[in-house]
Amino acid sequence: MASFKPTKVQFLPKLGEKVTEDTLYWKNYKSPVQIKEFGAVTKIDFSPLAPHNYAVTASTRIHVYGLHSQEPIRSFTRFRDTAYGGSFRGDGKLLVAGSEEGLIRLFDICGRVALRQFTGHSKAVHVTSFLSDGFRVVSGSDDLTCRVWDVPSAVELSSITEHTDYIRALAPSKLNPDLFVTGSYDHTVKVFDMRSGSSVMTMQHGHPVECVLLYPSEALLVSTGGRYVKIWDLLKGGQELVSLKNHHKTVTCACLSSVGNKLLTGSLDRHVKVYNSSYKVVHNFDCDASILSMAVAPDDEVVAVGMTNGVLSVRHRKHKKDKETLTSRRRRGPSYRVFVKGKNFVPRQDDFLVSKPVKQYLRKYDKQLKSFEVSKALDTALQMWTRTSKPEVTVAVIIELNRRGTLKNALAGRNEESLTKILNFLLKHIFDPRFSRPLLTVGDIVLDLYRQVLHQSPVVERQLQRLMEVLGREAELQQELLQVLGILDTLFASLTPRKEVAALAALPVDQGPQLQAA
Amino acid sequence: SLDGKYKVQRHGLFVLCTSGDSVKVYSTRTEEWLHSLQGHTNQVTGIALNPANHLQVYSCSADGTVKLWDFIDGILIKTFIIGYPLFAIYVSEKHEGIVFLHIGFQLVAVHLPKSAEQEVEAKELSAVSSHISPNPSCTAFGREGQYIAFARNLQLNVYFFRKQKTYSFSLKATDKKGAKNAFTCIACHPTDDCIATGHEDGKIRLWRNFIHKKEYTYSTQHWHHNAVNTLCFTPEGTNLLSGGIESVLVQWQYGTGNRKEFLPRLGGSILHVSASSDGQLFCTSHSDNKITVIESSFKVCGVIQGLVKDAVLTDLMIDPRSKALVLNGKPGHLQFYSLLRDKHLYNLDIVQQEYIYEAGLDQFEVVKAAFDIKGYWLATVEERGQKSADLEFFLKLWSYDERTQSFVLNTTITAAHTDRIISMCFSSSEETTMLVTIAEDGQFKAWCQGVDADTKQDQNFWSCDFVGSYHNLKPTNCSFSADSSLLAVSFQEVITIWSPDTWELLTTLCQPPGVIRDLCFGRLSCSKYLISTTTRNLLCCWNLLTCAFLMDSFSGLYTVFVFKPNEPRPLFTHKNVCSEKIHRAVFVPREEPLNNCDESSQWLNRSQLYFLTQNMLVIDDSVAVTPFYLLLGKHRQQQQKLNTPSHQAADRPQQPQGSVTITELLHTPAHVLPPASVLCSMFVSSLLISNTGEMESSEQEMNSEKEEEDSEGEMEACDSQQELRVQGSVDEVTPKLSKAQERELKRVRKTDFSWMAGLIASKP
C-alpha cells in the first residue's frame, strides 16, 4: 500500500540576478542614515588618516563628519558663495576648496579661518586638489584654465589653458607629484605634466566629462560623462579599454572601493552601481534623488552618497557582532540532545529489533485533500499567512483541486467574505506568469457559479469590476509587447545574413512578454 | 501476466490464478511463482477448488474442457470433455460430483463421470437457468449449497435446489437520484440466508427473507462511488469485503450496520477479492496485473506483480544498465521489468502526485521516455489534458543514483515547448549528453547540462541550448548518428541534417512523397546510412557520404521484415507473427550471444525481438530458433521462463538446411550437449523428415524472389505445412513411415560418420 503523496508545490527559480560573493558583500550594509544638508551635496572626501572623517561640500559650507556621527564635528562656513570640491591633503591636516566666486581657500582642519586664499580664477572653481607632494594645489575652473598654486607662498606657479570648455573633473596622481588628470565639458580628458607645463595625453570621451578617477596603480583611468563610463589604459597611450553603459542618465561620480578596487558609479538616475573586476554590475544601491557625489571609506566601512536634494545618505557596513546580538535575542529551540535522544543506541547482538513505522507528516491542506474535503482544503490554502507570504502554496492547492476535477465544488457555496478573499487573491496574482493559468480558470469558475447572485453584493461587484479593468490593461500591454516583438523580429531578420534556417535565441520567446508585463 | 480469478488455498499457502491458457501457482509467503498448470489449449476462464479434496482444483477453459489438477505438484489428474466453450465454473460442497458451468447464456449442471481414464467425456448436462449474466461474479452459491443466486441486469434470481424453483426479484431501472441499479456482483453469506449484491452505482444491498417470495427485504449500504466490482464474505461470515475502481478494499462488519474498515491505495482497480478457507488471508487482484495478499488484520503482507500492460504510451525501451524492459507501469509510473527472469523489478514514480482512482478523470500520464546510451540519464514527458484544450506537460530529467540504485529527479522543465512534444532522443556520444526534443509547435530544442555564463561552473541541471525550426514545418522525428556528430530531424517530407556542435544546417534531404514517420541512423559498420519510413509504406535509405538514395516499398499485415541497409531486398520476411495488431516492438539483448551461422537468423544472434500487442507481450524467438531449438524444443520450453501467456508466435520453424544442421551439431562442444540417449533418437528422426523440409525451403526461397503480393497465397500454404511438421517434431509423434523411408532409416543407422562427411559435401 502506497502512502499518500502530498501536493507538490512548484518553486520556480527567480530570474535575474544571481547570488555571488560580490552581491553578498555589497548587500551587507545597514539601511542608510539620512543627513540633511543646506543644498545639493557636490563633493564628499574621506580623510586618509585614521579616524577617517569626511568632508561634505554642500551649498556655502563644508562640514566634516566623523565616521559614526550624524552631527558635523567641524564646519567651514566662511564662503560668500557656493563652495565646491573640498578635498583633504594626503596627511589629512589641510583642506582645500574652490568656490563660485573663483577664490580657492585653504583651511587647517582644526582652524576655522582660511590659512591661504588663492586668487586668480575669473570664474567659478569646481574642482581643487592637492598634488601628492602636499605643497602644491591644483584647481580647475570654468574660465577654461587649470592652475597650480604654491601653498607656502600662495602664488600661482603655472596656468594651463588647453581645455575649450568648463573643467569639471580633476584627479592628481598619487605616485608622481607632477602629474594630474583633468576632464572637461569639451569631451576630452587630458593628462598634464607640470615638468613640461602642458598636456601629455588627450583622450576623447565623447561626452561632457563629469568625473575622472585614477586607479591606485595609475595604469587605468576612469572617466564618466553622459551615460557612459569609460576605462582607459594609460600604459597603452590612452587606449580605451571598456565603455560601460549601465546608467540611463548622466553618470556624475565614480569611486573605488578599497577592498579589491571595485568600481562604483553614481548617476542622476538615482542608482549607485557596483562593478566587479570584469566590469559587470554586481550590485545596485537605490537612492531617493539624483546623485551628485559619492565616496567610500577605507575598508569599505561607509558608503556616503550626496544627492541633489541636499540629503547625504550614509550606509554603514554590517558586522558579525551586530548579527549575533540579533540572533541571541531570538528564542532558541530544543537542544540538539533532544533530537538525537535514543537515536544513537546500538543494539546488542541478541536483541530483537522492532522497527517503528515512520509516521508521515502532512500539511493541513494535504490532510484535508487526503480525506477529499476539498472546500476545507481550499480554505486552508487561502488562509492569511499562506496567501500573502506563500502564494505558490495556494496556487499548488488550486492546481491539485483542478486536477482532481473538484475545483468547482471547492469554489461553490461560499459567502461574501470568503469570496472576497478569493477575488483579492486573484487581483493580486493573476498577472504573475507562474500563476496566471490556474487563476484564470478560477476566475472563470467563480463567474460561472455566482453570476446569478453577483448583484446582491456590492463588494464583490466592485472587485470584479476592478478585475475586469486590470485584465483589460494587461491585455493591452501584452498586445503592445507583441507589436514590439514583431518590430524586433523584422529588425533581427534584416540584420542576420540570409540563411535558410531561422535560428532563434535560446531563451524561450513566449516567456519574455509575460515576465516584462509582470 | 496475471488475469482472471484466483483462489487461496486452505492454509493460505498458495495463490492460484489464471493466466492465458495456464493456471499459475504462487506462494503467499515468498510471493514466488512456483509452477503453472499447463494443458489447456485456450484461455482458462475459471478455477474452483475441489470441495471434496482441498489439494485439487478444477479449471475450465474456452477449449471446452474441465481439468482436475493436483496443484501442489502440478499434475493433471483428469480431463472432462464438455464440448462447448466454458466461461465460468462453480462448485459446492453439497453437490458432490457435479460442477456448474457457464455455457453460452446458460448455467448448466454437469455430472462428472467417475472413471479411471484420463480423459472422460461428460455427457450428463442439465440446464439450471437459461439467462445468466456473462459476468462470472454475478453467480454464487448460497448457504450450504441450498440455493444458487444469479443476477442479470436488474433482476436477482435465486434457484432453490430442493424446491426446484426460481424466485426472481427485480429493481427499478433508476431510482429518484438517477443512480444505476444494475447488478454487478453477488456474494452469499456462508451460514446465514443473506445475499449481498453490488450495484453499478456503488451500493451494496443485503437481501434477506428471499425464501418467501413476497416478503423479501433488503437493506442498502453505500460507500463506493463507482460500480462495486467484487464482493466476498469471509469464511465465518463475520465480514463482507468489497472492492471497486477506487482501489480501496472495504471490510464491512456483518450485522453491525455501518461499521467498516478501509485499506486504501492498493494500486489499480480491484477486480476480485477472495478469502482463504481459514479466513487468515485475503487476496485482491487488480487491473494492473497485480495480486495483493492481505492479512486478516488488514495489513498488506505480499504483492505479486506482473507486467503492467494497459495503456502503454511510451515506446518499449531497454534500460542500458539493467537490460530491463521499461514501459508504462502503474498510472504515472515507469516499470522496469526483467525479461530474462520474467520478473517485475520496480516502479519509478514519474508524476509524483496522488493518483485518484476515479473513472473519467484526466490525470498525468507518462507519454514519452528516453534513456541515454549509458543509462545514466532518463528523460520523461508527462502529459495531462490530451482531450481538452489546455494541455499540460512536463519534461523531466532523471539521473541515476549509484547509491540508491535508482533514478533521482534532476530537472523539471515546465514549459519546454508551447505544444505537445512528439519525440525526443539523447545524443549517443560518451562525453557529452544532449537531449533533443521535437514538438508540434514546429521547433526542436536541444537541452544540455549547461555551463553558467557568469561563474563558468558546471551546473548540474539542464537548460535549453538551441532552438531550431525549418520553414515552420511540423517536425515528425529526430535521431542522432552513432557518433553524435550529426542530428537528423525530419520535418514532414524533408529530412534536415544538423551539426550539434555548431548548430549549422548541413543539408536537407527530400523524400519521395509521404510524411516521414520514423528516422534512424545505422550503427557500427552501417553508420553512414540514414533510414526513414514514411506513411506510404516506403522504407528509404540514404547514404550520407554520397547523399545517394536507396528506396524500397513493401507492405504486409503483421509481418516482420529484416533488411540489410545496403540491400534493397529484405533479408528475411516473417508473415503473420501474431494474430493481433502489433503496437510496439523492441530488440532485447541476449545474455550471451548465440552462435548461429545461418544467414537468415544471424541478426538475432545478439538479441531477441519482442512485440507488444493489445493483450500480451510476444517474444519472437521463433525466427531465431536454431536446429537445437527444434531438437530440444520441449526441454528448453520448460526451462525458459517465457513471458508469453500463449506461445502463439513460436510456430514458424527455422528454414531447415540439412548441411547447416549437421555442421552445427557436429561442431558444438560435447560438454554442452544433452545426454546422447536423448539426442540420438531425435537426431535420427530429424534427419528422416529433413527431406520434405528441404523441398519446402527451396520453394520458399523461390517465392521470396517474386513480388510479395502474388506469393502470399503460396506462402501461407507452405507456412501451414511447416507448422504441421514442427508440431510433429516437437511433440515427438513419429510419423508413419513408408517402406522406402524405413529402408533408408536402417541404412542411416548402419552407416558411420564418414558417410556423414559425404553428405555435408554433397549439400550446398
Side-chain angles (χ1 to χ4, degrees), chain A residues 43-48 53-57 86-89 95 295:
Chain A
K43 173 83 183 173
I44 304 170
D45 192 31
F46 274 92
S47 156
N53 298 335
Y54 54 99
V56 176
T57 315
S87 54
F88 284 103
R89 195 165 82 163
L95 185 81

Side-chain angles (χ1 to χ4, degrees), chain A residues 1-8 10 12 18-20 280 360 369-370 372 399-400 402-406 437 441 499-511, chain B residues 263-266 300 333 349 352-356 358 361-364 384 390-392 394 396 409 414 418 443 445 452 454 464-471 498 505:
Chain A
M1 188 183 69
S3 54
F4 182 83
K5 291 171 196 160
T7 310
K8 249 192 129 181
Q10 270 201 348
L12 292 169
K18 287 181 193 112
V19 180
T20 57
K280 279 209 168 148
Q360 190 190 12
L369 281 174
K370 191 181 170 187
F372 292 87
I399 290 172
E400 173 69 14
N402 192 24
R403 185 182 72 88
R404 291 172 171 227
T406 47
R437 227 167 128 172
T441 325
K499 248 189 187 179
E500 239 161 286
V501 194
L504 302 176
L507 199 107
V509 179
D510 58 326
Q511 282 189 3
Chain B
L263 193 58
R265 286 182 286 281
L266 292 170
V300 175
H333 289 64
D349 188 358
Q352 298 184 334
Q353 267 179 344
E354 180 75 3
Y355 188 79
I356 311 292
E358 192 183 314
L361 193 61
D362 193 9
Q363 301 189 67
F364 276 106
R384 179 182 166 264
D390 50 338
L391 177 83
E392 292 175 56
F394 294 104
K396 282 182 178 168
L409 183 61
T414 45
T418 51
Q443 290 176 336
K445 289 189 182 181
D452 193 13
D454 291 336
C464 188
D465 183 49
F466 179 73
V467 183
S469 63
Y470 183 76
H471 291 305
W498 303 73
L505 177 63

Side-chain angles (χ1 to χ4, degrees), chain B residues 366-579:
Chain B
V366 185
V367 291
K368 296 275 180 302
F371 282 98
D372 79 333
I373 196 153
K374 284 180 285 183
Y376 186 71
W377 289 102
L378 166 68
T380 59
V381 177
E382 64 209 56
E383 229 176 57
R384 179 182 166 264
Q386 286 98 329
K387 288 141 209 159
S388 61
D390 50 338
L391 177 83
E392 292 175 56
F393 61 91
F394 294 104
L395 173 64
K396 282 182 178 168
L397 286 141
W398 306 75
S399 66
Y400 190 79
D401 187 4
E402 294 281 354
R403 202 171 49 79
T404 57
Q405 296 285 302
S406 175
F407 283 91
V408 182
L409 183 61
N410 179 276
T411 311
T412 308
I413 301 163
T414 45
H417 284 271
T418 51
D419 209 341
R420 174 178 297 130
I421 292 175
I422 302 169
S423 169
M424 57 185 179
C425 63
F426 272 103
S427 74
S428 33
S429 79
E430 297 268 326
E431 300 90 50
T432 55
T433 11
M434 182 184 281
L435 176 72
V436 169
T437 56
I438 59 169
E440 283 181 356
D441 57 1
Q443 290 176 336
F444 73 90
K445 289 189 182 181
W447 308 84
C448 53
Q449 260 195 309
V451 176
D452 193 13
D454 291 336
T455 55
K456 304 278 181 219
Q457 279 170 345
D458 278 349
Q459 296 166 328
N460 59 352
F461 57 85
W462 290 66
S463 53
C464 188
D465 183 49
F466 179 73
V467 183
S469 63
Y470 183 76
H471 291 305
N472 273 336
L473 284 174
K474 208 162 94 178
T476 51
N477 218 321
C478 58
S479 174
F480 269 102
S481 68
D483 57 351
S484 291
S485 62
L486 293 177
L487 168 69
V489 183
S490 61
F491 290 90
Q492 301 291 352
E493 299 177 5
V494 186
I495 301 176
T496 55
I497 310 283
W498 303 73
S499 150
D501 299 327
T502 57
W503 291 117
E504 198 180 343
L505 177 63
L506 298 175
T507 181
T508 57
L509 306 171
C510 278
Q511 294 272 348
V515 175
I516 296 162
R517 246 198 228 146
D518 283 309
L519 201 61
C520 181
F521 273 97
R523 307 260 165 223
L524 302 172
S525 63
C526 294
S527 54
K528 62 185 173 183
Y529 294 108
L530 174 66
I531 299 157
S532 67
T533 62
T534 68
T535 49
R536 293 197 179 180
N537 287 338
L538 276 178
L539 181 79
C540 307
C541 181
W542 300 86
N543 186 339
L544 288 176
L545 295 178
T546 57
C547 284
F549 176 63
L550 302 157
M551 180 180 75
D552 199 1
S553 154
F554 60 90
S555 66
L557 226 61
Y558 314 139
T559 311
V560 179
F561 297 92
V562 179
F563 289 90
K564 272 190 180 174
N566 43 6
E567 286 172 25
R569 289 262 149 227
L571 182 72
F572 180 83
T573 316
H574 183 192
K575 297 221 165 194
N576 292 329
V577 177
C578 46
S579 53

Side-chain angles (χ1 to χ4, degrees), chain B residues 44 67 87 168 199-200 225 231 237 249 252 305 328 382 415 423 436 490 557 585 634 642 653 688 724:
Chain B
V44 179
K67 291 189 190 235
F87 298 118
S168 34
H199 297 263
E200 198 104 311
H225 65 77
L231 283 171
L249 182 67
W252 310 77
Q305 175 81 59
N328 277 114
E382 64 209 56
S423 169
V436 169
S490 61
L557 226 61
K634 217 152 185 204
L642 282 182
L688 285 176
L724 280 175

